[in-house]
Amino acid sequence: MDIKKIEDGFRLILEGLGENPNREGLLKTPERVAKMYSELLSGLDSKENEKDILATQFVEKYDEMILLKDIPVTSICEHHFLPFTGVAHVAYVPGNRIAGLSKLARAVDFYAHRPQVQERLTTQIAELIHRSLEPQGVGVVMECVHTCMTIRGIKKTGSVMFTSKLIGTFKSNATTRAEFMSLIGKR
Ligand code: ZN
């Protein structure tokens, strides 16, 4: 990531807005904004490989649903570069391997911390779990508030966007799907 370039670019935005980037209050703003983007979009700079995220696995005879609910999500909408925030619910029914719960949360952050659309984010999380753990099924549901829709444009404050990606038993088995939806309070 080229921090200097982000700073220069933000200085141009300030100038474009008719502001004086050299006035006291704004002097360090480009630096702060660059730092903020490097944090919010750290996935772009990550040395982490997606294969490593769920690499620590345990063989376990457990064939019921494992659900991590209400995982906080902060991401950046790639169309407006404004944040969208909310929660992800991530569930799977294991094949013969399980992963640590915190690793599921890490998978969410790994994909959230880059320019995103919620639909793709939801799919990427589900597909990573599917590829890495070869479970019987995966379900990911996300509910997020998009500031590009609540503070600008049509200004629909309070509207929440739901997305889901269901794979394997979550898609084919109505009982599994219903259990998932009921556990996350959607039925
Ligand atoms: Zn947007």
Side-chain angles (χ1 to χ4, degrees), residues 16 24 116:
E24 206 193 334
Q116 271 292 5

Side-chain angles (χ1 to χ4, degrees), residues 79-127:
H79 300 136
H80 301 93
F81 253 63
L82 281 171
F84 62 93
T85 58
V87 289
H89 313 291
V90 176
Y92 66 104
V93 175
N96 52 17
R97 301 194 306 275
I98 58 168
L101 271 191
S102 67
K103 301 293 160 41
L104 298 180
R106 226 165 97 209
V108 172
D109 282 346
F110 180 78
Y111 292 115
H113 291 168
R114 56 192 73 214
Q116 271 292 5
V117 297
Q118 188 180 320
E119 295 87 337
R120 185 169 70 229
L121 177 55
T122 309
T123 304
Q124 284 175 326
I125 298 163
E127 287 181 346

